[in-house]
Amino acid sequence: MSTPYPFTAIVGQDDLRLGLLLNAVSPAVGGVLVRGEKGTAKSTAVRALAALMPEVSVVPGCRFSCDPVSPDPACPDGPHAEAAGVSRAARTVELPVGASEDRLVGALDIERALSEGVKAFEPGLLADAHRGILYVDEVNLLHDHLVDLLLDAAAMGASYVEREGVSVRHAARFLLVGTMNPEEGELRPQLLDRFGLTVEVAASRDTDERVEVVRRRLAYDDDPEGFAARWAGEESALRERIAAARALLPRVVLGDGVLRQIAATCAAFEVDGMRADIVMARTATALAAWAGREEVTADDVRQAALLALPHRRRRNPFDAPGLDEDKLDQTLDEAGPQENNDGDDRPDPDPDGGGDDGGGGGGGGGVPPQADGDRTPPRGESDDTPSRTPEGSPDAPGRSTGAEQQPVASAEPFRTKMLSVPGLGEGAAGRRSRARTEHGRTTGARRPQGALTKLHLAATVQAAAPHQRARGRSGRGLVVRRDDLRQATREGREGNLVLFVVDASGSMAARQRMSAVKGAVLSLLLDAYQRRDKVGLVTFRGKEAEVALPPTSSVDAAASRLESLPTGGRTPLAAGLLKAHDVLRVERLRDPSRRPLLVVVTDGRATGGPEPVALAGRAGRLHRSEGTASVVVDCESGYVRLGLAGELARELGGTAVTLDELRADSIAGLVKDVTAAGRAA
């Protein structure tokens, strides 16, 4: 086994290390979600934490790591006789993005359960992680139903596997750590709330610190064992400090005054539910124990709020995570007990007491950086982010011109009608189009291809029944063989690739239509986020089209690109459609099971070059020939309408809807299904 990088040798990343250490002290905090760009030591820190965890004593031969002092009475390998336990290091179990449900929770042998009445259970990763660390890299790319199972087990401390009335339960208590790159898509707010803490990480902009990172990494790569040996003293000291904090934790007092501060803070920031209050209380208690104190202070509450609240204030994918620290300080001052604000003889709120663990930025974490140079500005605050221009101002786009116009503000998003791809797909689970999925309503049965995952009980019994006499059945039990087993086929919903092709030409800027257009596209992006789609953005104006955003799961990135989209120039509609064709061709090779939905946002006009309208029609027929489902959002306005968007929709073999018809509450009424190209009328 390779030597892990020492935890204390990590340079900087104070918040990351603090969040991990607090969960090591008190697993009841509920885990930590680490958000940040690639290459910021997220995985390195998680894997290094395992070496600091205390050893665990387990029942010999138990696949579920039962504690010999108090074994799980419902353990599938039990009951356990009294015996001396064996000690082993705490495990770090990694859950891969492509893991199946059986790999996560375990697999039950249905054949033996039906024929012999035996609960033959093969443990999954949740059992392996019991009393250790469960690490989920790229948790935002994990299927939603797996994230639900994972977080349910973390909250209940147990995992349940149920198949056709046969149930197995085992303990599953672990330190949950998820890492993600927000550029690849966000987690749903409901899932974000289930993580106890969240920390934001970014690469340091300090030259000396970056030099130290490279120096240590090269030294580790040259001689991992020698490098680890040089940090053995710091690692041992930190390991002892974790053990001491764990021992102190039950004696820490959480006073009524501090509880009032916690409740007031959660109320002031309007977080949903009560989980935030509970997590803040547990985190503040762990902070006090980590600092060696038996009483929680206002500083602990403040630090707990910075770790436990930012991700719980994110209500939709366009909200930037964060916390107003001035408002936080004001709330704590107003609700804080007087005794927590008097005197200067309190222990240093810095969990490491200002000491150095060799990490370059203070050991074991600290308060979030306050300097403006270290703060990542929220979206819209960056100096190079174009500002929104109010409509009607001198700089707002007016009539169609050939010159490029400044970006305009989008109108308020609204709830849209559902646009779906016709037919039955087999793509990734989502909420848009009909598809064969692992979860959903049962529609039939088939012979299993590979391992049986969802048993169709009635079909299995029907297949086995005619052979009972030939198989010598004599008792009440049914004689079932593997050939009799039938897999249930289920129908649910899939996520699609929604590719937006947006007209940003001068004709769209005319009459200030671009604000309404952006509002419509933002509404469709929000709908795509809720339905678990991938999204992409192609824009066209001037002389060419460009891929403003390659297909991604990050709806937030698409909204950001749209917000800064300038307008003006000619209308190369054909170029936009051809660019979209190139994008879809590549995506079909990368992910052939994910069906595309082309959404063209235009008034249908085309200019530039010879016969631009005819050229756009030929580009539309190219999409239709490949069976691409499409919809044209008609942005034409005014009393005189040319109907060009409707003509384009016919060339695409799709459907045209106006901006008004796109609203779910419009008089136009029912959900529109996109007409498949080539589908019979």
Side-chain angles (χ1 to χ4, degrees), residues 80 135 179 189 242 397 405 408 479 494 530 544 608:
H80 297 296
Y135 172 44
T179 58
I242 292 173
Q405 305 292 332
V408 298
V479 181
E494 68 178 357
Q530 293 168 342
E544 60 185 13

Side-chain angles (χ1 to χ4, degrees), residues 545-614:
E546 65 173 346
V547 180
L549 181 71
T552 175
S553 297
S554 178
V555 176
D556 186 54
S560 179
R561 299 289 198 283
L562 182 71
E563 191 173 285
S564 59
L565 178 66
T567 58
R570 296 183 176 181
T571 313
L573 177 56
L577 294 173
L578 292 174
K579 181 67 72 173
H581 179 267
D582 291 341
V583 172
L584 294 180
R585 177 178 55 81
V586 173
E587 286 302 308
R588 284 191 180 99
L589 296 175
R590 289 178 176 172
D591 190 358
S593 64
R594 188 180 289 269
R595 297 187 295 165
L597 173 60
L598 183 68
V599 179
V600 185
V601 185
T602 181
D603 57 10
R605 290 180 172 85
T607 59
E611 300 182 344
V613 175

Side-chain angles (χ1 to χ4, degrees), residues 532-545:
R532 320 291 185 260
D533 296 317
K534 290 180 67 175
V535 296
L537 179 62
V538 172
T539 63
F540 59 94
R541 65 186 178 90
K543 297 182 180 180
E544 60 185 13

Side-chain angles (χ1 to χ4, degrees), residues 179-375:
T179 58
M180 59 175 283
N181 184 346
E183 294 178 355
E184 297 173 339
E186 287 287 351
L187 274 173
R188 289 183 287 145
Q190 299 92 325
L191 299 179
L192 283 173
D193 183 56
R194 302 286 290 276
F195 280 93
L197 310 179
T198 185
V199 295
E200 299 277 347
V201 296
S204 173
R205 299 297 183 260
D206 181 83
T207 301
D208 292 338
E209 195 166 280
R210 294 174 74 96
V211 168
E212 187 63 21
V213 169
V214 175
R215 180 181 291 118
R216 293 187 187 184
R217 185 69 210 192
L218 293 177
Y220 170 77
D221 291 340
D222 288 342
D223 182 11
E225 293 183 0
F227 183 83
R230 291 197 294 274
W231 291 92
E234 287 82 353
E235 291 283 288
S236 178
L238 193 55
R239 191 179 299 110
E240 292 175 1
R241 185 173 176 185
I242 292 173
R246 280 190 168 191
L248 178 62
L249 187 66
R251 303 199 301 273
V252 175
V253 177
L254 188 69
D256 289 342
V258 171
L259 276 174
R260 181 171 292 277
Q261 284 185 309
I262 291 171
T265 301
C266 293
F269 285 99
E270 300 179 348
V271 296
D272 295 332
M274 295 298 299
R275 185 176 284 118
D277 304 63
I278 296 170
V279 170
M280 274 190 64
R282 290 171 174 167
T283 304
T285 303
L287 280 162
W290 180 245
R293 288 184 271 105
E294 294 187 5
E295 185 175 357
V296 176
T297 68
D299 293 307
D300 297 326
V301 176
R302 186 183 194 279
Q303 182 72 67
L306 293 172
L307 293 170
L309 295 188
H311 62 300
R312 291 186 166 88
R313 300 194 66 245
R314 186 183 179 96
R315 304 299 175 85
N316 66 62
F318 309 139
D319 291 339
L323 211 62
D324 185 339
E325 296 191 29
D326 291 336
K327 181 178 179 180
L328 173 61
D329 291 335
Q330 180 181 351
T331 303
L332 292 174
D333 288 342
E334 292 174 353
Q338 187 66 31
E339 58 268 24
N340 282 355
N341 297 321
D342 293 335
D344 296 324
D345 56 350
R346 290 198 309 258
D348 190 339
D350 181 355
D352 282 320
D356 185 5
D357 68 348
V367 297
Q370 303 297 313
D372 291 341
D374 294 334
R375 182 177 68 90

Side-chain angles (χ1 to χ4, degrees), residues 99-106 145-146 149 163 438-439 454:
S100 65
E101 182 178 336
D102 283 349
R103 184 71 185 99
L104 176 63
V105 301
H145 74 279
L146 292 182
L149 289 170
R163 299 279 175 83
E438 287 294 319
H439 300 269
K454 299 292 182 182

Side-chain angles (χ1 to χ4, degrees), residues 339-675:
E339 58 268 24
N340 282 355
N341 297 321
D342 293 335
D344 296 324
D345 56 350
R346 290 198 309 258
D348 190 339
D350 181 355
D352 282 320
D356 185 5
D357 68 348
V367 297
Q370 303 297 313
D372 291 341
D374 294 334
R375 182 177 68 90
T376 301
R379 222 182 65 204
E381 290 186 11
S382 174
D383 291 339
D384 59 358
T385 300
S387 60
R388 291 182 170 185
T389 305
E391 292 187 26
S393 68
D395 295 331
R399 296 181 179 179
S400 174
T401 66
E404 179 177 305
Q405 305 292 332
Q406 291 297 317
V408 298
S410 64
E412 191 69 22
F414 52 85
R415 189 167 64 91
T416 68
K417 293 176 181 175
M418 188 177 76
L419 306 172
S420 62
V421 178
L424 196 62
E426 295 182 345
R431 293 186 176 182
R432 185 172 295 277
S433 305
R434 294 173 53 234
R436 299 183 185 91
T437 60
E438 287 294 319
H439 300 269
R441 63 185 182 90
T442 301
T443 58
R446 60 175 174 81
R447 291 182 180 273
Q449 300 171 350
L452 178 72
T453 55
K454 299 292 182 182
L455 178 74
H456 194 295
L457 184 58
T460 299
V461 172
Q462 187 176 9
H467 309 289
Q468 296 305 296
R469 181 175 297 178
R471 292 173 182 173
R473 173 185 171 185
S474 58
R476 299 177 60 184
L478 190 69
V479 181
V480 179
R481 295 180 179 173
R482 181 162 294 278
D483 290 343
D484 301 325
L485 299 179
R486 294 295 182 268
Q487 174 85 20
T489 56
R490 301 193 174 191
E491 182 179 310
R493 294 278 174 177
E494 68 178 357
N496 298 109
L497 166 60
V498 182
L499 181 62
F500 294 93
V501 181
V502 180
D503 185 348
S505 65
S507 67
M508 297 293 288
R511 306 184 190 92
Q512 301 179 2
R513 280 185 288 167
M514 201 60 193
S515 176
V517 169
K518 285 187 174 183
V521 178
L522 281 175
S523 303
L524 290 167
L525 284 171
L526 182 58
D527 181 69
Y529 165 78
Q530 293 168 342
R531 301 190 187 282
R532 320 291 185 260
D533 296 317
K534 290 180 67 175
V535 296
L537 179 62
V538 172
T539 63
F540 59 94
R541 65 186 178 90
K543 297 182 180 180
E544 60 185 13
E546 65 173 346
V547 180
L549 181 71
T552 175
S553 297
S554 178
V555 176
D556 186 54
S560 179
R561 299 289 198 283
L562 182 71
E563 191 173 285
S564 59
L565 178 66
T567 58
R570 296 183 176 181
T571 313
L573 177 56
L577 294 173
L578 292 174
K579 181 67 72 173
H581 179 267
D582 291 341
V583 172
L584 294 180
R585 177 178 55 81
V586 173
E587 286 302 308
R588 284 191 180 99
L589 296 175
R590 289 178 176 172
D591 190 358
S593 64
R594 188 180 289 269
R595 297 187 295 165
L597 173 60
L598 183 68
V599 179
V600 185
V601 185
T602 181
D603 57 10
R605 290 180 172 85
T607 59
E611 300 182 344
V613 175
L615 186 60
R618 288 198 293 272
R621 291 192 293 275
L622 179 62
H623 284 281
R624 183 175 64 183
S625 68
E626 296 187 352
T628 302
S630 60
V631 61
V632 177
V633 179
D634 184 358
C635 302
E636 193 173 26
S637 61
Y639 294 106
V640 179
R641 298 182 181 234
L642 302 178
L644 296 175
E647 291 290 339
L648 177 62
R650 284 188 284 275
E651 296 287 10
L652 286 164
T655 304
V657 296
T658 65
L659 289 174
D660 289 337
E661 291 172 341
L662 192 61
R663 293 178 178 269
D665 55 356
S666 71
I667 300 177
L670 302 177
V671 171
K672 284 182 176 288
D673 280 334
V674 179
T675 304

